[in-house]
Amino acid sequence: MSSDPIHRVSVVSTGTVAIHPEHVGPTRKPLYWWLFTSRRWTPPRPINAYVIEHREGLVLFDTGQDRASVTDPNYFPKGFNGLVYDRLARFAIEPHETLGARLNSLGHDIADVHTAVLSHLHQDHIGGLPELAGGNTTIVTSPAEWQEMMRPSPEPRGFLRSHIMLPRLRWQQIQPEAINDLGPFTSGHDLFGDGAIVLLPTPGHTPGSLSMLIRRPGRPPLLMVGDLTYDARLLAAGNIPGAGNRRQMRDTIGMVNALRQRHPDLVVLAAHDPNAANLLAAAQKASLRR
């Protein structure tokens, strides 16, 4: 990378979510045990989407939560599945917190989005898809994530197909290629072929979860991890959250921490970490001092 193809990296929050402390983890309780017995909720946490201004076009990592989830009584399933979703999270989203409104606050229009990479296909990461439908945005996911969403009975596993498989969306399932400079990761996808944005397979929260590594000359690398963790400090300590495949999450977190050993200034940015905006701001300031 002889020159920096990225102009700016920003974070926006499409509202807030409260979850159970066991969800953040660590906990030894099985998921459904804490889901139905926990009476405690965290303070509101952000629902982050990341905005990367690349010379090839505007890139999003995740698209946040749809405001319809708090205004439309039919957004979530009914019956037992609806009860699970009700126990899982409490959302608050104001009219000015939609993805389009947040992009406008940065000086962009929703139609400007070139590519939207989804860390995974749960509803608080695909909420901006209705706003992107009909445009020229390429929506990126992994084959493993798409296959998981297409398995029978997706709703109990967090996939609301009616909000994902929308008409007039342009989907792309990226195929990882061999990489040799990001050990212990041996495969990834270079989004534009310039090494600046690399998508890494980070299974655990879901089988096909992706993370996005941002590399810029003279700046700390940024790793956006979706829901692999809810607190970068917990990830650094090797702790896993309470929702997902624990073995996969433990292995993947180990790989991220091994990458951090090779790059001690690596900044981990999670979707619901209350400190993520401060971590990004600190990384930007650190780059200015270099």
Side-chain angles (χ1 to χ4, degrees):
M1 291 182 292
S2 58
S3 61
D4 190 352
I6 295 175
H7 172 64
R8 181 171 61 163
V9 178
S10 307
V11 58
V12 295
S13 181
T14 62
T16 61
V17 60
I19 56 180
H20 295 290
E22 293 89 348
H23 200 153
V24 178
T27 181
R28 294 183 179 181
K29 299 176 184 177
L31 186 151
Y32 280 100
W33 176 262
W34 62 253
L35 185 64
F36 285 106
T37 63
S38 180
R39 297 183 179 182
R40 298 180 299 150
W41 295 87
T42 66
R45 307 173 75 90
I47 310 169
N48 287 331
Y50 294 91
V51 184
I52 301 95
E53 299 174 29
H54 189 279
R55 64 185 169 204
E56 294 293 332
L58 196 67
V59 178
L60 301 180
F61 184 70
D62 284 334
T63 66
Q65 178 84 2
D66 191 344
R67 188 165 186 266
S69 64
V70 299
T71 61
D72 181 355
N74 295 314
Y75 187 88
F76 291 105
K78 305 298 183 182
F80 178 76
N81 287 333
L83 178 61
V84 170
Y85 280 91
D86 185 61
R87 287 290 303 164
L88 193 63
R90 295 175 174 176
F91 296 100
I93 307 167
E94 299 298 328
H96 67 278
E97 294 178 317
T98 64
L99 179 63
R102 289 306 201 192
L103 289 177
N104 289 342
S105 72
L106 295 176
H108 302 295
D109 188 87
I110 195 75
D112 298 334
V113 180
H114 179 284
T115 304
V117 177
L118 302 177
S119 64
H120 60 292
L121 296 178
H122 285 170
Q123 38 105 14
D124 52 333
H125 300 261
I126 57 87
L129 292 184
E131 296 183 79
L132 295 169
N136 294 316
T137 305
T138 298
I139 314 297
V140 173
T141 188
S142 69
E145 190 71 0
W146 191 265
Q147 292 166 10
E148 181 69 11
M149 185 264 293
M150 292 301 294
R151 286 176 51 209
S153 303
E155 291 178 346
R157 291 176 285 110
F159 300 99
L160 301 178
R161 284 186 194 160
S162 62
H163 303 308
I164 298 170
M165 302 177 70
L166 302 176
R168 301 187 303 151
L169 283 177
R170 300 172 52 186
W171 288 93
Q172 179 186 8
Q173 297 179 39
I174 59 101
Q175 296 290 344
E177 308 94 27
I179 53 176
N180 55 21
D181 63 339
L182 288 173
F185 291 93
T186 58
S187 64
H189 179 78
D190 190 337
L191 194 61
F192 294 116
D194 57 13
I197 302 178
V198 180
L199 306 183
L200 299 173
T202 50
H205 183 70
T206 62
S209 287
L210 294 172
S211 292
M212 177 184 284
L213 180 67
I214 306 291
R215 297 186 290 180
R216 304 176 67 186
R219 297 172 182 262
L222 309 174
L223 184 65
M224 300 156 188
V225 299
D227 286 356
L228 180 62
T229 189
Y230 298 92
D231 187 317
R233 294 168 298 184
L234 292 177
L235 184 145
N239 292 318
I240 64 173
N245 183 304
R246 295 190 178 197
R247 180 189 60 79
Q248 283 188 331
M249 287 190 293
R250 189 172 290 108
D251 291 346
T252 298
I253 285 174
M255 293 176 69
V256 170
N257 283 331
L259 183 65
R260 190 202 306 274
Q261 289 182 345
R262 295 188 59 181
H263 304 278
D265 56 348
L266 179 73
V267 179
V268 173
L269 302 171
H272 307 297
D273 186 345
N275 199 37
N278 291 334
L279 290 172
L280 179 58
Q284 313 262 26
K285 291 180 180 177
S287 65
L288 292 175
R289 292 194 295 266
R290 294 187 175 190

